[in-house]
Amino acid sequence: MMNNSLIDWDVLPEIISKEQFYRICHISKTTARQLLVSGKVPCKSSGKKTRCYQIRKADVQIYLLERDIYPEAYSAPVGWYCSGRKKAAKTVPPEVLEDMSTYYTEQLQAYPDVMRTADLQDFTGYAKATINGWCAKGWLRHIRKGRVNLIPKVFLVDFLCSLNFRVINQKSDLHKKLLAGFSRWRLEKKQ
């Protein structure tokens, strides 16, 4: 875990290069390129062969905050480093998972103890077919009653904290808001 308070953000320009980016974040050039090419860290590319990336300082700050909370979201795809070996997914520290569980439990207070698919649609922003797919794959524990999936809150909180939910590539707008809300909630809690 990196201590972001050691970086003097006032000295840095508003737009930085890839070279500055990887040095600030203490990552390799290859990892920096993967983050920029994949769009995980937003940037502008001039299309030139060298010195083509322009990254906003604010996006680097967001990356550093979220990297510690969601390391698997910023990991490179298998084979990116040409080793061919599958690397184990990075784990989230137990205290972050506990915070995440508390946060989601608080967010779900207004919902019934046993939720229907429509309630999950309302909370997560994902389609009914997607939610039923999570149930069918066994990712989201549920109770089947006739043709209806019933999801107790405790099962839902476990799923929301799971790797399967956290690494969804195309997140819904509500999912993004939940993640941003968690980051803010956690920062407020530390103060």
Side-chain angles (χ1 to χ4, degrees), residues 53-84:
Y53 298 107
Q54 296 179 346
I55 310 136
R56 291 178 344 133
K57 178 171 63 173
D59 292 329
V60 176
Q61 290 172 310
I62 291 168
Y63 162 71
L64 288 172
L65 283 172
E66 291 184 351
R67 177 179 69 178
D68 290 338
I69 298 171
Y70 312 108
E72 65 280 344
Y74 293 101
S75 60
V78 175
W80 177 262
Y81 297 104
C82 301
S83 67

Side-chain angles (χ1 to χ4, degrees), residues 127-186:
K128 182 179 179 180
T130 302
I131 295 165
N132 288 334
W134 297 335
C135 293
K137 290 176 186 173
W139 294 353
L140 177 56
R141 291 177 38 200
H142 62 285
I143 300 164
R144 187 86 176 167
K145 186 173 181 184
R147 298 178 68 192
V148 178
N149 289 326
L150 301 174
I151 301 100
K153 275 190 200 177
V154 290
F155 293 170
L156 178 58
V157 170
D158 287 345
F159 174 67
L160 296 173
C161 296
S162 74
L163 183 66
N164 289 326
F165 186 72
R166 293 191 324 262
V167 299
I168 292 172
N169 276 340
Q170 296 198 351
K171 294 175 175 51
S172 71
D173 289 339
L174 288 175
H175 189 165
K176 290 175 187 174
K177 285 181 183 177
L178 284 169
L179 293 176
F182 174 66
S183 297
R184 283 191 306 274
W185 178 87
R186 197 151 190 270

Side-chain angles (χ1 to χ4, degrees), residues 24 33-34 44 93 100 103 109 116 122 129 134 162 175:
I24 291 167
R33 184 173 176 274
Q34 186 273 326
K44 287 185 182 178
M100 202 178 289
Y103 169 74
Q109 282 180 343
R116 295 177 175 267
D122 180 52
W134 297 335
S162 74
H175 189 165

Side-chain angles (χ1 to χ4, degrees), residues 10 14-15 26 41 51 55 76-77 84-85 101 115 117 130 135 151 158 160-161 170 174 179 188-189:
D10 296 331
E14 288 301 313
I15 303 295
H26 299 284
V41 175
R51 295 183 177 90
I55 310 136
R85 287 174 278 166
S101 179
M115 299 171 66
T117 307
T130 302
C135 293
I151 301 100
D158 287 345
L160 296 173
C161 296
Q170 296 198 351
L174 288 175
L179 293 176
E188 289 170 5
K189 184 182 158 208

